[in-house]
Each structure stands twice: as C-alpha cells, then as structure tokens.
Amino acid sequence: MVIPRLRALTEDADHVDVKTVEGDVSLREFLAGFISYEPGWMRLLYRIRAGFVRLLGMRQGELPSARGTRPEEIPFTPGGKLAFFTVTEAEEDRYFVAGATESHLTAWLAVVAEPGRFRVVTIVKYHRWTGPVYFNVIRPFHHLVVTRMARAGARGVPA
C-alpha cells in the first residue's frame, strides 16, 4: 500500500526504519497495545533520556502515559492526540500516521496494516546540531523499544 504522505516524509528524512510483525488484530487494537506498552525497564530508559536531554541543553516535559489506552480511544482524525503524537493522516483498518516535534527533531510514527501483519515505520528529521547527536545516542534503544512495542501491539490490548 502506498500512502502519499508517507512517501513525502521519507524523501528527505535523516532516518527511516521499518519493523514488521505478524498479528491478527485490528489496526485500532494494534495501536492500543503498541502505545499502552510501558514496562518498568522502558520507563527507566525514559528517565535516563530526560537527564541526557538536559545535558544537551534541551527541555523535556513529562512524557504522557498511554497505559491502558483502549482501541476505541485511538484517534483517526488529523489533529487528534495519541500520547505525545499528533495524528496527521489515518484511515481505519489501513494506516495511521502521527508526528511529534521537539526542538532537536521531528519524528513520525506510521503503522500500515496488511492482512496478518503490521509495518511500523519511524521517520526522523533533525533540527539543529542536537538532532543527530541525540538520535545517534538513543538509536540502539529506539530499535529495542519500537520492536517490543510492535510485538505488544500484535498481541492487541491485554484484557
């Protein structure tokens, strides 16, 4: 499936990665399971990240928790909020694209639903010198976090 906005975002991106997981849940169930995944080790990484961000001279507000998000709470309307992401484009049972902008970078999360699987796309564009410094330090953790979140999403929302 080709999503015009996604193609445009990746053209001049500084980083793009795709994680693919198998799952037989709806896109809403996937997104709820994905965004709700907040184990203790991941919350610890976010606290460490907050200290690193301060070292780079950047501000970071409290990251909103999305634990317990239900499928019916997932916004598909542009401008809707999902944790710290803002929906830019979405189509029920097909795809979801949302972004977040900070002083050092803009990141987009896209999830494309295909029969029996989901593709999770991360797109990053750097701002200022702090963008590549920040992202290259967190990159190994980013891969771990997104992979685990995608696996959780493929299981759907815990009952």
Side-chain angles (χ1 to χ4, degrees):
M1 170 188 312
V2 175
I3 303 167
R5 173 97 171 117
L6 195 55
R7 182 183 302 270
L9 290 173
T10 61
E11 284 179 359
D12 63 344
D14 294 301
H15 173 84
V16 177
D17 68 65
V18 180
K19 311 277 188 257
T20 302
V21 293
E22 294 182 2
D24 290 318
V25 297
S26 71
L27 178 55
R28 281 183 178 276
E29 291 167 327
F30 178 89
L31 289 166
F34 179 92
I35 204 71
S36 292
Y37 183 73
E38 294 181 11
W41 64 265
M42 200 164 89
R43 287 192 307 275
L44 175 63
L45 284 177
Y46 278 117
R47 283 196 295 276
I48 294 168
R49 173 193 181 270
F52 175 58
V53 164
R54 281 193 303 277
L55 284 175
L56 291 176
M58 300 181 299
R59 285 190 223 149
Q60 173 185 305
E62 185 70 27
L63 290 174
S65 174
R67 182 178 284 191
T69 300
R70 306 295 310 156
E72 61 273 12
E73 298 170 333
I74 302 295
F76 273 75
T77 305
K81 293 295 230 179
L82 182 61
F84 53 87
F85 289 105
T86 302
V87 178
T88 58
E89 181 178 358
E91 187 175 322
E92 193 80 39
D93 292 322
R94 297 191 65 208
Y95 65 89
F96 176 91
V97 182
T101 298
E102 296 186 49
S103 64
H104 56 295
L105 57 76
T106 297
W108 288 270
L109 164 70
V111 178
V112 179
E114 299 172 342
R117 73 176 168 196
F118 297 89
R119 295 187 193 277
V120 179
V121 184
T122 302
I123 304 159
V124 178
K125 292 184 184 180
Y126 303 139
H127 307 301
R128 304 178 20 214
W129 66 271
T130 51
V133 170
Y134 165 82
F135 193 72
N136 284 307
V137 168
I138 68 136
R139 187 184 310 236
F141 306 104
H142 163 79
H143 289 293
L144 173 66
V145 167
V146 173
T147 296
R148 295 290 177 88
M149 290 176 78
R151 288 179 187 162
R155 293 189 298 271
V157 180

